[in-house]
Amino acid sequence: MKTKKVWIPAIIAAVAAVLLLAYYFYISSFHSNGDHLLAPPEGRGLHSRGEERPEGGAEIFKFLGTLAVFLGAASFSWVWFKKKMKSPSMLVRKTGKFLYGVHKLLGWIILTLVTAHGLFFLITKPGDHKIFTGLSAFTILLMIAGYGFFIKRIRNKRMRVVHRYLGILWAPLLLLHAGGSAIVAIIATLAVWAVIRMLERMPRSSS
């Protein structure tokens, strides 16, 4: 596959994600009184409130989404550990090897958790305006999984670059959709990087 063509699916996904965000901001501008249900210009919700869903179920699927955010942060940390496979710190090297071993598995787990999380709220809260930010983030996640799946099947060095950039693009979308959970996950990822630097500078870390 030619280098330029490798970028085409990612560009299409990015455009789709941006359009979903644009619609989210458009429809959100018609919210009133803090209502979380979509309200078009005519002032009527796109969906009726209906019956309240059991809070227990909602909390479980909300937790699955939060868990996916933190697993995503752990998976993305592999980008940093990949450059440290020859680190003087044995702990950093072992952690890097571990993340390398579970990176793909984490990706599929994240996709599964996000799919379950999204389907639940699409069915139970179809009028929630945050659905569009979720769909935007999910579009990019699908591309991340797709590129990850084909990295070793399509001989093109740009596949990894696109895969990495999509991961970076996913971060701000998660911030918009998940809010506080995404902020904590990003802070935790930065903290991991700080720990790596600290371990490498420790006199007794080399082996």
Side-chain angles (χ1 to χ4, degrees):
M1 181 182 289
K2 295 181 179 180
T3 301
K4 293 182 179 179
K5 289 184 178 180
V6 167
W7 290 88
I8 292 177
I11 292 173
I12 293 174
V15 170
V18 169
L19 290 176
L20 284 166
L21 284 184
Y23 187 71
Y24 160 75
F25 285 115
Y26 169 75
I27 205 70
S28 294
S29 66
F30 298 107
H31 283 198
S32 61
N33 301 323
D35 190 1
H36 289 288
L37 294 184
L38 300 177
E42 292 78 7
R44 294 176 298 173
L46 295 181
H47 301 275
S48 61
R49 288 182 178 273
E51 296 181 358
E52 293 293 331
R53 303 289 176 176
E55 287 298 322
E59 284 300 316
I60 291 173
F61 284 93
K62 183 178 180 181
F63 171 75
L64 293 182
T66 301
L67 179 60
V69 170
F70 283 94
L71 291 179
S75 181
F76 187 78
S77 295
W78 159 242
V79 174
W80 289 343
F81 279 98
K82 183 179 181 180
K83 299 177 181 179
K84 300 292 182 179
M85 296 302 284
K86 295 183 179 180
S87 170
S89 170
M90 182 176 64
L91 179 59
V92 171
R93 294 197 304 271
K94 286 187 175 181
T95 303
K97 290 179 181 179
F98 172 75
L99 286 177
Y100 173 75
V102 301
H103 180 70
K104 288 185 178 180
L105 177 61
L106 279 179
W108 293 118
I109 291 175
I110 292 165
L111 184 60
T112 301
L113 292 177
V114 171
T115 300
H117 166 83
L119 285 176
F120 176 83
F121 287 104
L122 273 173
I123 294 171
T124 61
K125 296 184 178 180
D128 192 328
H129 69 297
K130 293 189 71 175
I131 281 177
F132 293 103
T133 59
L135 288 173
S136 179
F138 184 67
T139 299
I140 299 302
L141 178 61
L142 277 179
M143 282 294 103
I144 293 173
Y147 276 91
F149 180 78
F150 286 108
I151 276 177
K152 291 186 177 180
R153 292 167 175 78
I154 298 178
R155 297 183 179 278
N156 191 309
K157 61 181 181 180
R158 295 289 180 180
M159 290 289 289
R160 296 183 184 278
V161 176
V162 180
H163 182 67
R164 188 182 311 123
Y165 282 164
L166 285 171
I168 294 173
L169 177 59
W170 196 46
L173 296 178
L174 282 181
L175 278 172
L176 186 59
H177 180 69
S181 297
I183 293 174
V184 174
I186 290 174
I187 291 174
T189 305
L190 295 175
V192 167
W193 177 248
V195 170
I196 293 174
R197 298 296 298 273
M198 181 182 70
L199 287 173
E200 289 187 322
R201 293 179 181 179
M202 290 176 62
R204 297 182 179 179
S205 64
S206 59
S207 61

